[in-house]
Amino acid sequence: MNLLLDDEQQLIVDSAISFLADASPMSRVRTVSETEDGIDHALWLGMVDMGWCGVHLPEDVGGLGLGWIALCLLQEQLGRHLACVPFFEGIAMAATLLRELPDSAEAQALLPELASGALRAVLAMPPESDTAALAHATPDGWLLDGSWSHVSAAGSADLLLLPARAATGEWLLFAVGQGSAGLQVQATPTLDATRHGAIVHAQALALPASACLARGAKLGAALERVRCLAAIALAAEQVGVAQQCLDLTLAYTAQRSQFGKTIAGFQAVKHRCAQMLVMVEAARSAVYGAACMADATTDAATLLLYAAQARLEATQAAQFCARESIQLHGGVGFTWEYDPHFFLRRSQANSQRLGSVSVWLEQVAAQLLDAPAGELA
């Protein structure tokens, strides 16, 4: 497996670095994070103009067809800048799930609008527990009841993709427009100030039959695959967080003086920065490797192994580098005026999205031991 970027991929990285340095500096992130919806709409429009919304979608729906590696390269740079846009929720998750449902004409019809950026959709991933929302068939369609927690950017989405269970236990996927009667999006405080969260409630939400985009075993398999793919994209974001923590630390230690010399010259500081670099590179390799497999295989078992490895390495790198950045800033990284605490918050919040690392490790162990997850001693 060759993890070196080719010329086209390097061009994607270089253009993303240049664009985000101008469009999403930390001063801008601080300002946008305090707005009501927490979305940088100007940045989003710039990303739309650059074609980022369709980076991994097929060309026949208006995408660029560049695959999961290209998406992860963008996700890494967005994480590095803590960009206040619903790219992960709308493109890495929602658009990907619709792409994974080729037999659903309704799902495929939404992809051109998502690829062009004309439609913003958010996917509420179902919980790991058996507390999924319930859908009841009616003569005119469906009646939906339940809640979906920790749904980022739900308040600013045009369309919500809501998975639910039927009385028979099968999965169903509903497309629900913002403002539908019986739908409530409740904003919730979050540890990560740069990514606003919400709880979505459905109470006797009446939907037409056409609102059900997919159902059955194929949808269940698609949800599991998207969960693995999204975990790889989230790991790429964590790599960006870790890299920026390292960059901030190197810049700070190069100018902070003690005993008449910059602290970057102290061997203890060098060793800690070197360990940060080692963890960043190990995580990046795991993410690139997982992204390569995402583009190359449809085998669910193999994808789970690579996604779990990327999730583990990137989460550990982001949390370690964020903590080290604060410490090597002399503790001032905890104060509001300095940036490292924003990255610590993002790394901590991301560590719990899509299931904690321990949940992923348990799934891998269960797969290797051929035992049901949750029953391991």
Side-chain angles (χ1 to χ4, degrees):
M1 183 184 299
N2 184 4
L3 300 184
L4 295 177
L5 301 183
D6 58 29
D7 292 341
E8 184 177 41
Q9 291 166 344
Q10 189 60 55
L11 182 61
I12 292 173
V13 173
D14 293 341
S15 63
I17 291 174
S18 176
F19 170 68
L20 292 172
D22 293 333
S24 186
M26 278 305 297
S27 58
R28 176 71 178 168
V29 170
R30 287 171 177 267
T31 299
V32 172
S33 66
E34 296 178 356
T35 61
E36 183 177 357
D37 63 2
I39 303 296
D40 190 335
H41 296 281
L43 174 59
W44 178 259
L45 290 176
M47 292 166 57
V48 168
D49 290 341
M50 297 183 70
W52 289 10
C53 293
V55 65
H56 72 305
L57 295 178
E59 294 182 24
D60 58 4
V61 298
L64 301 179
L66 298 179
W68 207 251
I69 297 175
L71 183 140
C72 286
L73 294 176
L74 294 178
Q75 192 70 46
E76 178 181 340
Q77 296 307 319
L78 291 169
R80 192 172 179 177
H81 289 269
L82 300 182
C84 299
V85 288
F87 185 84
F88 175 73
E89 297 81 1
I91 306 306
M93 293 178 66
T96 301
L97 177 58
L98 297 180
R99 185 195 67 176
E100 295 294 321
L101 299 171
D103 296 334
S104 169
E106 295 83 359
Q108 297 304 301
L110 294 172
L111 284 177
E113 288 187 279
L114 289 174
S116 68
L119 178 71
R120 283 216 301 258
V122 166
L123 169 63
M125 286 296 288
E128 293 300 313
S129 61
D130 293 327
T131 58
L134 294 177
H136 305 278
T138 67
D140 299 322
W142 298 91
L143 202 61
L144 195 58
D145 285 284
S147 297
W148 298 261
S149 59
H150 310 297
V151 186
S152 298
S156 63
D158 303 313
L159 191 70
L160 299 175
L161 301 182
L162 304 178
R165 292 275 194 185
T168 58
E170 73 171 342
W171 281 111
L172 302 102
L173 179 68
F174 296 95
V176 182
Q178 191 76 256
S180 299
L183 181 74
Q184 180 187 8
V185 179
Q186 176 187 353
T188 57
T190 58
L191 174 66
D192 179 10
T194 64
R195 182 173 268 159
H196 291 199
I199 300 175
V200 178
H201 300 281
Q203 185 173 7
L205 174 58
L207 297 171
S210 60
C212 182
L213 302 182
R215 62 187 300 179
K218 288 187 177 180
L219 173 60
L223 285 169
E224 283 302 312
R225 178 169 172 81
V226 169
R227 182 172 172 270
C228 288
L229 292 172
I232 297 170
L234 191 63
E237 181 178 294
Q238 291 280 65
V239 171
V241 169
Q243 180 66 64
Q244 187 65 8
C245 287
L246 174 58
D247 292 346
L248 289 173
T249 303
L250 293 175
Y252 181 81
T253 57
Q255 62 182 351
R256 175 82 166 101
S257 296
Q258 242 179 10
F259 308 113
K261 62 183 298 185
T262 58
I263 63 174
F266 298 160
Q267 193 165 11
V269 173
K270 290 181 179 180
H271 285 175
R272 294 177 74 167
C273 289
Q275 184 59 38
M276 292 170 70
L277 176 61
V278 168
M279 296 196 71
V280 169
E281 290 302 325
R284 181 174 285 119
S285 295
V287 170
Y288 286 6
C292 287
M293 293 306 298
D295 284 332
T297 182
T298 57
D299 177 26
T302 301
L303 185 61
L304 173 63
L305 292 176
Y306 278 87
Q309 182 186 17
R311 181 90 169 114
L312 171 65
E313 296 282 357
T315 299
Q316 290 181 339
Q319 292 181 312
F320 176 81
C321 290
R323 290 193 298 263
E324 286 294 280
S325 182
I326 286 176
Q327 289 298 312
L328 291 172
H329 273 74
V332 296
F334 279 112
T335 65
W336 188 257
E337 292 76 12
Y338 286 75
D339 293 337
H341 74 92
F342 282 98
F343 293 90
L344 176 64
R345 291 165 183 263
R346 175 64 69 90
S347 70
Q348 292 291 84
N350 280 353
S351 72
Q352 300 304 308
R353 295 196 73 174
L354 303 175
S356 65
V357 167
S358 61
V359 170
W360 285 89
L361 292 179
E362 183 179 10
Q363 286 186 310
V364 170
Q367 179 172 290
L368 295 176
L369 297 174
D370 196 23
E375 296 185 6
L376 299 177

